[in-house]
Amino acid sequence: MEIKWSKFALQDLEQIEDYIGARFSYKEYRSFMGILNHKIKLILDRKVVIQKLEKFPDYHKLLIMEQTTLIHKLETDSLKILRLYNNYQDEDKNLL
């Protein structure tokens, strides 16, 4: 199954990488990326319960870590990753 990252999700990931790189060690970066990849695999294998977004029922969210939520849409042949949302941001921020 193909994984498709939106430009916003790629920007989000870059911001997270910059944040971790500026404040933590490479070990913490590797840990985050390992957890992210593991959660993506769980979605692909359909081995995780995911919540629908109230405003956008075709999209789902999954907590990656305390501060990061993955917004995605699982389709027949692909997983579309739309955002890596920082949970400490303003909740009224437009996610999509």
Side-chain angles (χ1 to χ4, degrees), residues 3 16 20 43 48 57-58 60 67 73 75 83 90 96:
I3 299 173
I16 291 168
I20 293 172
I43 295 169
V48 66
D58 289 341
H60 299 88
Q67 70 277 13
K73 183 176 183 182
E75 298 184 335
R83 296 300 303 259
D90 182 3
L96 304 175

Side-chain angles (χ1 to χ4, degrees), residues 45-57:
D45 293 342
R46 301 176 196 270
K47 293 184 177 181
V48 66
V49 177
I50 49 180
Q51 290 182 291
K52 289 185 178 193
L53 289 178
E54 289 181 24
K55 294 181 182 179
F56 305 96

Side-chain angles (χ1 to χ4, degrees), residues 22-38:
R23 289 165 180 81
F24 302 98
S25 71
Y26 183 68
K27 180 180 177 183
E28 280 84 13
Y29 168 77
R30 281 192 357 224
S31 175
F32 172 79
M33 293 305 293
I35 292 168
L36 176 62
N37 288 324
H38 175 71

Side-chain angles (χ1 to χ4, degrees), residues 8 12 34 40 47 76 81:
F8 298 110
D12 294 338
I40 289 172
K47 293 184 177 181
T76 306
I81 299 176

